[in-house]
């Protein structure tokens, strides 16, 4: 028996929720092209689509909006946990910890349900926003039930009603990131679901998987990279130096795409509109040279821009601090995680793969005094 490193090419589940066509650079949610959803659907409509398999009619959408808006408040235990976190806790640590407390406090237990999926998706932005305010010495704000999901998230962060262009940008970002077939965090959520655990546990595990820089932790590192590059004349030496010393360029490469990630194409246009001309020229110049060099050095891998590269510019343009980028990714992806958990439970079978044993055999136990 041999192992497929990183499970590359291994099909671990059937899903009707979303699919990545890696060769063509296409992503579909429930049959709809991401490009169409990005320009036409709200995040709440996409949540409904992912959970139910069809776009909501007016009454269904109004119903979901009304429910999500009254499910945003944090339980007291969650606020107390946020206040008790050490100063060194990062936003993803806070989200992971407080999502767990929310699960225990509400409670979110037993067999995962659609109602719980709505609840946990509705409350995610409140956790992130409350954490951000507390670490800046400000009191958390109560959610504003007159605002949609994206607008309310921005409001709870800043205390001001956000400008329409920021709301639109963030809403589109949330649509684009809401699901992505069998990515690492979604797989994590499905593995936990397959043990018949509760929905909060699935989501907490998924947040942990998303935190790593090979998954959702990349966009703040993209901003750090662009800061270091600083000016157009430094792009070539910086990229050459990074690749010569074996570093990975954040925002490039993907396990499934063999061309540009379609979400990156959309985010690039959004970044072009929303950023300063100088910043966009730096980002675009870096992208172009990075692709040229990655493909010259590793032609067989076909490495292109992934979603994280321009996510960074778009989230920056709506005023989010860069260390909130991964938790904002989670604010979006929680819809996909919960949809996958519900799907996993239909005809569930425990996910329990095997491993290739490479350790020794036949060793004789020696008592501790004789070792
Ligand atoms: C996304 C990612 C984890 C995919 O990983 P993967 O499918 O396991 O790809 P591999 O790590 O096997 O990469 C294949 C080769 O291309 C190289 N490569 C892949 N992405 C690279 C990048 N961004 N910069 C430089 N080299 C890269 C690898 O070093 C590897 O080289 P090797 O064959 O000499 O070891 C990987 O491309 C990466 O780390 N990208 C940077 C982080 C990032 O943008 N994360 C967000 C993902 S949405």
């Amino acid at each position: 028996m041999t192992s497929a490193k990183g499970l590359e090419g291994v099909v671990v589940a059937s899903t009707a929720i979303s699919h990545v066509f890696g060769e063509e650079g296409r992503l579909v949610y429930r049959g709809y092209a991401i490009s169409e959803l990005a320009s036409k659907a709200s995040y709440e409509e996409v949540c409904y689509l992912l959970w139910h398999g069809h776009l909501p009619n007016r009454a269904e959408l109004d119903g979901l909006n009304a429910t999500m808006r009254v499910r945003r408040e944090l339980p007291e235990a969650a606020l107390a946990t946020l206040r008790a976190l050490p100063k060194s806790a990062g936003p993803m640590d806070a989200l992971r910890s407080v999502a767990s407390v929310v699960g225990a406090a509400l409670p979110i237990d037993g067999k995962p349900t659609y109602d719980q999926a709505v609840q946990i998706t509705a409350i995610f932005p409140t956790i992130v926003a409350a954490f951000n305010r507390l670490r800046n010495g400000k009191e958390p704000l109560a959610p504003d039930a007159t605002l949609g999901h994206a607008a309310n998230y921005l409001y709870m962060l800043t205390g001001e009603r956000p400008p329409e262009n920021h709301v639109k940008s963030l809403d589109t970002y949330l649509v684009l990131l809401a699901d992505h077939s069998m990515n690492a965090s979604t797989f994590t959520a499905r593995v936990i679901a397959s043990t018949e655990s509760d929905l909060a546990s699935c989501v907490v595990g998924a947040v942990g998987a998303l935190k790593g820089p090979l998954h959702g932790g990349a966009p703040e590192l993209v901003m750090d990279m662009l800061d270091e590059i600083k000016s157009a004349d430094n792009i070539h030496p910086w990229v050459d130096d990074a690749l010569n010393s074996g570093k990975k360029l954040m925002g490039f490469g993907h396990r499934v795409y063999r061309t540009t990630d379609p979400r990156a194409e959309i985010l690039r246009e959004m970044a072009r509109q929303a950023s300063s001309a100088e910043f966009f020229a730096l980002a675009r110049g870096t992208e172009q040279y990075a692709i040229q060099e990655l493909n010259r050095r590793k032609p067989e891998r076909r490495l292109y821009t992934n979603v994280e590269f321009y996510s960074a510019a778009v989230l920056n343009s709506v005023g989010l601090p860069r260390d909130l980028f991964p938790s904002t990714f989670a604010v979006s992806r929680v819809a996909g995680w919960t949809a996958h958990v519900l799907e996993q439970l239909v005809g569930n079978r425990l996910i329990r793969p095997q491993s290739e044993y490479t350790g020794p055999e036949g060793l004789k136990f020696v008592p501790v005094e004789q070792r």
Side-chain angles (χ1 to χ4, degrees):
M1 215 186 312
T2 54
S3 66
K5 206 166 176 204
L7 296 183
E8 181 162 8
V10 175
V11 175
V12 295
S14 301
T15 180
I17 300 173
S18 68
H19 190 63
V20 174
F21 295 85
E23 282 293 330
E24 303 151 50
R26 284 196 299 121
L27 167 62
V28 295
Y29 292 172
R30 300 275 191 192
Y32 293 93
I34 194 65
S35 53
E36 199 167 17
L37 293 171
S39 59
K40 296 180 182 157
S42 67
Y43 177 67
E44 289 90 330
E45 273 178 292
V46 164
C47 288
Y48 192 99
L49 174 67
L50 295 174
W51 289 325
H52 293 277
H54 64 91
L55 284 168
N57 62 27
R58 171 49 59 197
E60 289 165 336
L61 182 59
D62 289 349
L64 177 63
N65 277 330
T67 309
M68 285 180 82
R69 286 170 193 220
V70 295
R71 299 285 185 84
R72 292 170 175 162
E73 294 269 355
L74 289 179
E76 200 41 55
L79 274 168
T81 305
L82 281 168
R83 291 184 203 281
L85 286 173
K87 285 255 171 297
S88 56
M92 286 295 269
D93 301 328
L95 181 59
R96 191 191 59 235
S97 309
V98 177
S100 186
V101 172
V102 165
L106 284 179
I108 297 175
D109 59 7
K111 187 176 177 184
T113 63
Y114 166 65
D115 199 51
Q116 293 174 347
V118 174
Q119 167 67 79
I120 213 154
T121 303
I123 216 167
F124 254 42
T126 320
I127 301 174
V128 179
F131 166 79
N132 190 54
R133 288 187 70 84
L134 284 168
R135 73 173 170 170
N136 289 315
K138 296 177 183 156
E139 274 305 294
L141 289 168
D144 182 339
T146 66
L147 297 174
H149 200 69
N152 176 60
Y153 179 38
L154 290 173
Y155 163 73
M156 289 189 299
L157 285 165
T158 63
E160 285 161 22
R161 288 180 88 87
E164 207 33 59
N165 60 336
H166 285 193
V167 176
K168 178 67 193 137
S169 287
L170 182 64
D171 196 52
T172 306
Y173 168 86
L174 296 177
V175 167
L176 289 171
L177 277 283
D179 199 42
H180 206 235
S181 70
M182 207 47 56
N183 59 89
S185 56
T186 298
F187 181 51
T188 304
R190 287 189 78 130
V191 170
I192 298 172
S194 83
T195 72
E196 298 186 0
S197 187
D198 62 278
L199 187 59
S201 299
C202 299
V203 162
V204 168
V207 172
L210 184 70
K211 185 184 175 192
L214 301 190
H215 191 3
E220 68 176 291
L221 303 176
V222 169
M223 291 303 286
D224 293 347
M225 173 175 80
L226 293 174
D227 274 357
E228 273 184 46
I229 296 175
K230 225 183 230 153
S231 62
D233 54 359
N234 195 30
I235 292 173
H236 292 208
W238 195 96
V239 169
D240 291 345
D241 201 43
L243 292 176
N244 290 342
S245 56
K247 283 193 192 137
K248 283 194 169 175
L249 301 178
M250 292 296 127
F252 299 93
H254 199 270
R255 176 60 64 78
V256 187
Y257 289 116
R258 291 290 166 259
T259 181
T260 305
D261 182 327
R263 300 166 300 171
E265 310 261 13
I266 298 165
L267 289 162
R268 184 194 296 123
E269 287 321 301
M270 290 167 64
R272 192 193 300 277
Q273 308 287 329
S275 316
S276 70
E278 194 188 352
F279 177 83
F280 185 76
L282 180 69
R284 183 73 175 130
T286 301
E287 180 192 22
Q288 286 168 325
Y289 187 64
I291 291 173
Q292 177 192 311
E293 271 309 290
L294 287 168
N295 283 287
R296 190 179 68 74
R297 291 168 190 242
K298 299 209 180 297
E300 71 296 345
R301 285 302 295 193
R302 294 195 277 153
L303 300 168
Y304 290 90
T305 323
N306 66 43
V307 67
E308 306 291 17
F309 190 74
Y310 285 108
S311 285
V314 168
L315 293 178
N316 192 52
S317 76
V318 302
L320 288 181
R322 66 181 67 171
D323 70 346
L324 287 195
F325 295 175
S327 43
T328 303
F329 186 163
V331 161
S332 166
R333 183 58 57 85
V334 67
W337 293 333
T338 51
H340 277 272
V341 167
L342 296 175
E343 186 183 65
Q344 176 66 34
L345 293 179
V346 180
N348 177 50
R349 187 157 189 233
L350 176 72
I351 298 176
R352 201 303 188 187
Q354 296 205 38
S355 47
E356 179 190 4
Y357 180 62
T358 60
E361 276 191 273
L363 300 184
K364 291 279 172 273
F365 183 82
V366 179
V368 68
E369 297 75 20
Q370 294 165 33
R371 278 178 231 153

